[in-house]
Amino acid sequence: IILWGTGGSLEQLWGKPKFLRFVLVTTSLAGAATLLTALVFPAISGFPFFGGTIMSAIVWVGYGCAIWERSTNIFGYPLTGRTFAMIGVLLLALNAVFSQGGWYILIAEAWALAFTFAYARFGFPSEFIIRFRSWQLDRQLKKRSSHLKGIDGGKRNVGGDSDKYLH
């Protein structure tokens, strides 16, 4: 039900290609990270993880992160995206507390939430790299222009509407 309700809203917000990429990439990364964690903690390898629970958590929290400052409506109550995402995290924690797997299930869900938050808030890795490069370029341009000073030209060499030269 969560995949149908929240996933449809997230797909409408992002579009089908980005939504599918988000769900498949974050689920796959969470699975791979859980496998790598199982190498360190071998007891995890004997515990079954259900992809539907992980995927619905990814969609729920991803939708909350995508509408972070905006409002949504759940059962007639207005919530911000931030609160919506925190409810998803709370549901996952309750699932881990009351399930038979205990903290083992929390490992897979924690990886899923980490990748979901990173993807939904910062974008796909290529978008993150573009943002980082833009920040670098902006920083370089500010550094280059730091030695420029604004001076008034006095009465000489000044047009009627221009009063400053940069040197």
Side-chain angles (χ1 to χ4, degrees):
I1 292 174
I2 292 173
L3 283 174
W4 175 71
T6 313
S9 300
L10 188 58
E11 181 184 2
Q12 185 179 16
L13 183 67
W14 279 348
K16 188 175 279 192
K18 185 175 180 179
F19 172 74
L20 288 174
R21 186 175 58 208
F22 165 72
V23 170
L24 294 175
V25 166
T26 51
T27 305
S28 300
L29 285 174
T34 304
L35 285 174
L36 292 174
T37 306
L39 294 174
V40 177
F41 300 107
I44 296 172
S45 60
F47 183 77
F49 294 100
F50 301 103
T53 305
I54 304 292
M55 197 175 291
S56 59
I58 286 171
V59 170
W60 181 292
V61 176
Y63 182 65
C65 290
I67 62 164
W68 194 250
E69 293 294 328
R70 291 179 275 169
S71 292
T72 189
N73 196 349
I74 181 168
F75 302 120
Y77 297 103
L79 300 171
T80 63
R82 195 173 332 144
T83 307
F84 193 78
M86 291 302 133
I87 289 172
V89 171
L90 177 67
L91 290 174
L92 289 177
L94 288 175
N95 184 30
V97 167
F98 292 110
S99 69
Q100 294 177 349
W103 70 276
Y104 292 137
I105 195 167
L106 198 58
I107 290 173
E109 291 173 349
W111 282 116
L113 291 180
F115 291 125
T116 298
F117 185 78
Y119 186 99
R121 294 296 298 151
F122 304 116
F124 203 63
S126 60
E127 295 171 20
F128 180 73
I129 291 170
I130 290 171
R131 286 183 186 185
F132 178 72
R133 297 277 170 101
S134 175
W135 172 78
Q136 270 186 328
L137 181 63
D138 188 43
R139 189 172 161 207
Q140 286 176 354
L141 290 175
K142 283 181 182 177
K143 188 176 181 181
R144 288 180 192 170
S145 66
S146 66
H147 70 281
L148 297 175
K149 299 177 201 167
I151 59 169
D152 64 359
K155 296 291 182 194
R156 59 186 167 87
N157 298 330
V158 179
D161 59 345
S162 173
D163 62 341
K164 291 189 175 184
Y165 294 98
L166 292 176
H167 295 282

